[in-house]
Amino acid sequence: MCLGIPGQIVALDPQHAALATVEVAGVRRAVNIACIVDDEHPPASTLGEWVLVHVGFAMSRIDAGEAALTLALLTELGEAQAEIVAMQQSGPMQ
Amino acid sequence: MKYVDEFRDGERAAILEREIRALAPRLPRPPGRALQIMEVCGGHTHAIFRYGIEAMLPPELELVHGPGCPVCVLPMGRIDDCVAIAERPEVIFTTFGDAMRVPGSRKSLLQAKGDGADVRMVYSPLDALALARANPEREIVFFALGFETTTPSTALTVLQAEADGIANFSLFCNHITIVPTLRAILEGGDVNIDGFIGPGHVSMVIGTTPYDFIASAYRKPVVVAGFEPLDVLHSIYLLLRQLVEGRCEVENQYARVVPNAGNRTAMAAVERVFETREFFEWRGLGSIDGSGLRMRDAYAAFDAERKFAVPGLRVVDPAACQCGEVLTGAIKPWQCGIFGTACTPEAPLGALMVSSEGACAAYYRYGGVPAAAGARG
């Protein structure tokens, strides 16, 4: 919940500008991207980017190296698996 | 040095450890006590225990594990309120998994579920909103908890519910804010914190400027830190350097994720939906002025507290529980009378034993209990 989990934006939602599909360790789900887009960074610019996802919301853009480090950290803390399972079980793709 | 091999960059960790030890003789020496640094955030607490960081520090320095685990500071009365809402037949009560086992005075949400209440774990408030769409004949209540890291997500979900005209969705709002809490700790009579490791992901939302008063008015250094063990060590080094040089500043060690100005979109959503409560009750810390959020009148229709009558009773913590003393650094987790005996992660009595980010659960899991004193031997 507080540590978040890194994922990559792999698709945008043509119906909802605030939603995108994010892939986290092979699991895909809809994530809200309102907090990482603005006039300078429109939704289209986020495709392929890595983001830190907190409870279904992308809260920060990060680089791929940071994403890999964070995922390794979460795995060692024993937090990654629970987070991914929770994502998988409760967040079916729309 | 027990865990230094586990650092992804052991060489840098060893250098930082050496630099920290080299600073130790030049540190200010408060009379009659060790120099105390508080890591505010439970994520840092977890990393500190997981990587054995305390063992790498000189004996002149003590880490105090702060109040920044939102699950841990939930008072029993609020859990009782959750259970009361969840037991209503029309309600589907949704919560993050972390909150399921927090003890209430009657039962936890997990026990309420076992007794037949419709309690469901969700990963995101958006999933609770999806349940509201799919079950128009039921009332979907989301247990909104957490510091500034998760507040924007519930605010944006309420704004989405409003935009979509979803009337059977509401929040039981228990969001809390870190700055009034830090102020309360600084004002506390018997607490002596010499510097703060600032929370990383709260700061990602609010930025680093809200901590300026800690440096300017209270003359204590703050370093906002990332969660890698190297980040934590680096932040301790930066704090000690400030202390040695007599500086009091807010430094940002986690600039790769934390903009000094925070996240404007996130803060605007929070501002629109929530307002400050006069006070909020914390487990172990008591009531802290201005430390909680509630929903603005404009969003009363999405406020479970107004939609359903909640008991709202203040329930005192179990007498044997010393969570408050642990939270303020007055005692170490293993010095609590029931640590590891009446209170374990499997059957927690105190909230600090519930979450993996609670100091007691972290001590229990990773050791760190002096052999002579440890309840677990």
Side-chain angles (χ1 to χ4, degrees), chain B:
Chain B
M1 289 287 274
K2 190 164 135 210
Y3 297 108
V4 80
D5 296 341
E6 293 193 42
F7 280 65
R8 267 172 285 284
D9 189 342
E11 204 173 314
R12 278 189 63 200
I15 291 171
L16 276 169
E17 185 183 5
R18 209 162 53 231
E19 292 292 321
I20 286 170
R21 286 188 180 273
L23 284 175
R26 294 161 58 203
L27 284 169
R29 301 207 163 220
R33 64 177 179 89
L35 203 67
Q36 291 192 319
I37 286 180
M38 173 178 276
E39 89 275 4
V40 173
C41 171
H44 287 141
T45 304
H46 192 171
I48 283 165
F49 288 111
R50 170 65 181 80
Y51 295 98
I53 286 174
E54 280 189 312
M56 302 171 73
L57 302 178
E60 296 88 340
L61 185 63
E62 207 172 88
L63 292 179
V64 177
H65 317 299
C69 164
V71 175
C72 303
V73 297
L74 275 174
M76 276 195 163
R78 300 301 279 188
I79 298 294
D80 291 350
D81 292 343
C82 287
V83 170
I85 297 171
E87 285 176 339
R88 298 175 71 102
E90 75 275 28
V91 166
I92 300 176
F93 193 89
T94 58
T95 174
F96 295 137
D98 310 45
M100 287 290 277
R101 290 188 309 126
V102 181
S105 72
R106 280 199 300 137
K107 47 176 106 165
S108 67
L109 281 166
L110 190 63
Q111 289 163 326
K113 186 181 168 73
D115 293 344
D118 195 345
V119 179
R120 303 190 195 179
M121 275 195 269
V122 290
Y123 161 72
S124 165
L126 290 173
D127 302 335
L129 190 60
L131 272 174
R133 278 196 199 97
N135 298 276
E137 75 293 352
R138 304 284 298 275
E139 281 290 336
I140 314 306
V141 180
F142 177 69
F143 185 20
L145 65 94
F147 285 97
E148 289 90 333
T149 313
T150 53
T151 316
S153 63
T154 47
L156 286 163
T157 303
V158 169
L159 293 174
Q160 186 69 50
E162 183 191 36
D164 296 351
I166 299 176
N168 63 328
F169 174 79
S170 59
L171 295 185
F172 181 45
C173 181
N174 286 269
H175 282 301
I176 43 182
T177 54
I178 199 67
V179 167
T181 313
L182 293 177
R183 195 185 295 273
I185 288 170
L186 285 161
E187 291 286 334
D190 52 351
V191 180
N192 299 294
I193 306 295
D194 300 290
F196 292 89
I197 299 175
H201 290 151
V202 162
S203 309
M204 166 185 80
V205 172
I206 67 172
T208 59
T209 47
Y211 309 119
D212 286 349
F213 76 98
I214 300 175
S216 59
Y218 293 92
R219 311 292 305 153
K220 314 276 186 193
V222 179
V223 176
V224 171
F227 296 92
E228 277 285 315
L230 263 186
D231 290 330
V232 178
L233 265 188
H234 186 210
S235 301
I236 292 170
Y237 167 72
L238 291 174
L239 277 171
L240 296 189
R241 233 178 49 186
Q242 286 201 45
L243 287 167
V244 161
E245 292 168 12
R247 288 181 294 123
C248 296
E249 293 164 18
V250 179
E251 286 184 275
N252 185 358
Q253 187 274 338
Y254 197 30
R256 59 190 196 270
V257 167
V258 173
N260 285 340
N263 186 311
R264 207 175 305 159
T265 309
M267 285 192 285
V270 169
E271 182 61 28
R272 196 162 147 198
V273 175
F274 299 112
E275 62 185 9
T276 306
R277 292 180 196 261
E278 285 76 37
F279 58 87
F280 195 78
E281 188 77 20
W282 294 56
R283 191 184 289 244
L285 294 177
S287 177
I288 301 177
D289 288 351
S291 65
L293 298 179
R294 66 172 168 233
M295 304 189 73
R296 290 187 184 279
D297 287 343
Y299 293 94
F302 300 98
D303 185 355
E305 249 171 293
R306 288 186 248 198
K307 215 168 186 175
F308 312 100
V310 297
L313 293 178
R314 202 175 150 184
V315 181
V316 290
D317 294 330
C321 250
Q322 294 179 278
C323 285
E325 288 156 88
V326 175
L327 277 172
T328 52
I331 63 167
K332 292 284 177 192
W334 49 266
Q335 291 170 319
C336 171
I338 53 171
F339 176 89
T341 51
C343 188
T344 62
E346 291 72 35
L349 201 58
L352 291 177
M353 201 54 108
V354 174
S355 163
S356 58
E357 295 182 359
C360 294
Y363 258 88
Y364 190 92
R365 182 154 161 209
Y366 298 117
V369 181
R376 293 165 66 208

Side-chain angles (χ1 to χ4, degrees), chain A residues 8 15 23 34 41 43 57-59 63:
Chain A
Q8 188 175 26
Q15 256 97 56
E23 187 173 303
H41 304 95
F57 290 73
M59 295 302 294
D63 64 38

